[in-house]
Amino acid sequence: MKTICKMLRAGLGFVLMGAFLTAMAAAQCGTPTAKLHKQAWQAGDPAVLLTQVADLQEPIVGMWHVTFTAEGNSAGPPDGTPIDNAIVVWHSDHTEIMNSGRPAQDGDFCMGVWKKAGKSKYKLNHFAWGGNDTANAPSGVGNPTGPTRIVEVVTLSPDGNRYVGTFTLDATDTSGNPTAHLIGVIAGTRVTVETTIPDLL
């Protein structure tokens, strides 16, 4: 009788061990029994906790339709003058790219870097590296012009679909001498998979 009990215990042990190893293998193979989530290390956390990547992404990240309008320039242009109409992408790595509505010969792609500046508030340091003047516009290419720096400070709406703020634009010649200084207001609307061309016009 003792021998039979020992054999039953041994057999039961093998069955339980097999079931345990099978469950581990299923979890490692990513079957529906395994619940996997995208995660990333949270830098500087002494507890070395895992945090979901989505929790680290700022809500400013995404594609935007953005308008720049002159405001507060005593020497002109008058308030309300459109300065630019652009498509902008704010990236999660704190870089940004803008497809300006200006002619391609003027340098219609430009880039920047951004940081969070407060609750729902962001600061962008943006450069249009070079382009051409309008000496032969619209059919020809003008003379080379130097870089332009645009600094933006924007605040995101509570729903995350709009932002407003201010911009300062400083243009230079190819030697870095100032050629223009403009200030104004900026407004952005998020572009989604439902956005249509009339929405942007």
Side-chain angles (χ1 to χ4, degrees):
M1 188 70 176
K2 288 183 179 179
T3 302
I4 294 174
C5 287
K6 286 182 180 179
M7 291 176 63
L8 285 174
R9 280 199 298 265
L12 183 59
F14 282 121
V15 170
L16 290 174
M17 181 63 75
F20 176 72
L21 292 175
T22 300
M24 286 184 61
Q28 290 173 350
C29 292
T31 62
T33 60
K35 295 181 180 178
L36 303 178
H37 302 280
K38 290 183 178 180
Q39 295 177 327
W41 293 107
Q42 188 173 16
D45 191 336
V48 197
L49 297 176
L50 287 175
T51 304
Q52 291 189 10
V53 171
D55 295 338
L56 301 177
Q57 182 169 290
E58 289 291 340
I60 193 73
V61 170
M63 187 181 220
W64 299 86
H65 174 227
V66 181
T67 58
F68 297 76
T69 306
E71 187 174 291
N73 298 279
S74 56
D79 289 356
T81 302
I83 301 300
D84 207 344
N85 186 320
I87 297 292
V88 177
V89 178
W90 296 63
H91 303 115
S92 60
D93 66 353
H94 290 228
T95 61
E96 170 262 11
I97 188 167
M98 180 169 77
N99 182 4
S100 170
R102 302 184 63 80
Q105 70 177 32
D106 293 345
D108 59 341
F109 272 91
C110 36
M111 294 169 281
V113 292
W114 62 270
K115 70 175 184 178
K116 191 165 186 178
K119 183 178 180 182
S120 302
K121 193 172 184 178
Y122 302 88
K123 182 176 182 180
L124 174 69
N125 188 26
H126 179 98
F127 291 93
W129 191 236
N132 298 282
D133 64 22
T134 57
N136 302 312
S139 59
V141 175
N143 300 310
T145 61
T148 296
R149 180 186 183 209
I150 303 171
V151 176
E152 302 173 21
V153 177
V154 300
T155 300
L156 196 63
S157 65
D159 66 3
N161 291 321
R162 298 184 181 279
Y163 66 73
V164 294
T166 60
F167 74 90
T168 301
L169 182 154
D170 289 292
T172 70
D173 61 20
T174 53
S175 298
N177 300 307
T179 59
H181 173 79
L182 293 173
I183 59 175
V185 294
I186 186 170
T189 303
R190 189 178 294 278
V191 176
T192 73
V193 293
E194 305 299 331
T195 301
T196 64
I197 289 176
D199 295 330
L200 305 177
L201 299 177

